[in-house]
Amino acid sequence: AMDRDRNKALLLELQRAAGTGNDRCADCGNADPEWASYKLGIFICLNCSGIHRNLPEISRVKSLRLDFWDSNLIEFMKNHGNLWAKAKYEAKVPPYYYIPKSRDCLVLREQWIRAKYERGEFLDTQVCQDPCSAGSREGCLWKLGKGRRQFQKRQFLLSAKEGVMKYFTKESKDPKAVFSVETLNAMFQVDKIGHIHGLQITYITDGQTRNLFVYHESGKEIVDWFNAIRAARYHYLRTTFPNVPEPELIPRITRNFVKEGYMEKTGPKQKEAFKVRWFCLDSQERSLRYFKNPLDAFAQGQVFIGRRDEGYEVRDDLPERVCVKKKKPAITLVTPVREFVFLCENDRKQREWMDALNGVITQ
C-alpha cells in the first residue's frame, strides 16, 4: 500500500512538473489531464483517453488517481511525457493542418490522434507535403440534395493549383458548380447535419453565400477533405498575401461561425408578425445571415454588422413603438439604416447572442 500511495504521489507530481508539458492533455490541450497512456508515455484528458482506449495496438490507458501504477511504469512516464511526445509525433505538422481543441467534434480529435500515433503522419522522417499538392483531391462525398430530403453521392474535385473546387452530378460531363478557393470555407457541423462526419462547405456565388452540406462514411476521408481544403486555402493566402506573417494567416484559413441558432424576427416596418428563423453569425464577413431552415442552400437575407463608431449597437430591449404579444427577451440591433428586432427563447440565449454580436461590433 505504501508503494501504491508513493507511486500515486510521484505520478501526480510528474503531471504538474514544470518543463514536461504534462499539465495539459497531449492531444487537445485540456488543463489538468487525469489519465495517461502508459504505452506512449503521455498524459491525456478523459475525452481523449476514450479515443486511445479504442486503439489498443498503439495505446493503453490508466487513470492517474483510480488505477494501480507500479514503479517501472512511473519510470517510463518520467522518461517520456508530453513534450517528448510532441517533439517526436508532431515534428512535421504542416501549417495548414487543423489541430483540434477539446471543444472540437469527435472525428477531428480522433483522426488527429490516429494521424499522430497510428499512422505516424508527422514524424521527422516524413517529407513535408507542399500545400499546393496537399490542396488537390478528388473523390466522392455524400451531398444534401435540393429539397433537403436526401444525400446523394457526388464527385468532388479540389485543385489548389487552379484555385477552384467543383462537383459533378452523375449525368453531366460538365461540373454542376465551380467555386473559387478565395471564398471557400469549411467547418464541421455534426449536430446540424445530423451525421458524426457532417461538414458544411460555403462559398460565394453571385454575391451570395452558398451552403453545401456533405459527409463521408469514413472519418479519415472527411478529415482529409477538410485538411485538403485548408491546404488549398493556405496556398491561396500565401500567394495572395506573401508579406503577411504566418501567425496572422493561420486563423484565416477556415473559420467556424461565432454563433448559430433560432431567433424570431419582424420586418422593416416592425409591425409584421414575428417569424422563427435560423441565424448564423460570421465574424470574418461581419454578417448575420438568416434562413428559413438550418440546412438551406441560401440565406433569406443578411444584416451587415459594422463597428460601434459607425453607429452599430446592440440593446436588450424593444424600440418604443414596437409592441409584442409574446413576453420574450428581445434584442434590438441598431444600424445606420434601420433597427432590427429579434426575440430569443430565453434570457440565457439573449445574453449569448448579445455577447456574440457585441464581439463583432467591437472587433
Side-chain angles (χ1 to χ4, degrees), residues 336-352:
V337 198
R338 63 175 260 210
E339 294 180 343
F340 292 88
V341 183
F342 310 114
L343 298 178
C344 302
E345 236 356 73
N346 52 44
D347 292 345
R348 183 178 60 88
K349 295 216 165 123
Q350 177 201 37
R351 228 2 335 123
E352 287 172 4

Side-chain angles (χ1 to χ4, degrees), residues 270 315 317-323 330-332 339-341:
Q270 299 179 342
R315 292 206 301 258
D317 55 11
L318 294 163
E320 268 150 40
R321 55 189 185 287
V322 179
C323 59
I331 294 177
T332 300
E339 294 180 343
F340 292 88
V341 183

Side-chain angles (χ1 to χ4, degrees), residues 140-157:
C140 281
L141 293 169
W142 290 90
K143 177 192 160 291
L144 186 61
K146 261 233 163 59
R148 296 192 315 276
R149 275 187 291 279
Q150 66 222 50
F151 284 85
Q152 293 138 332
K153 210 169 199 170
R154 293 289 177 253
Q155 182 76 13
F156 278 80
L157 192 135

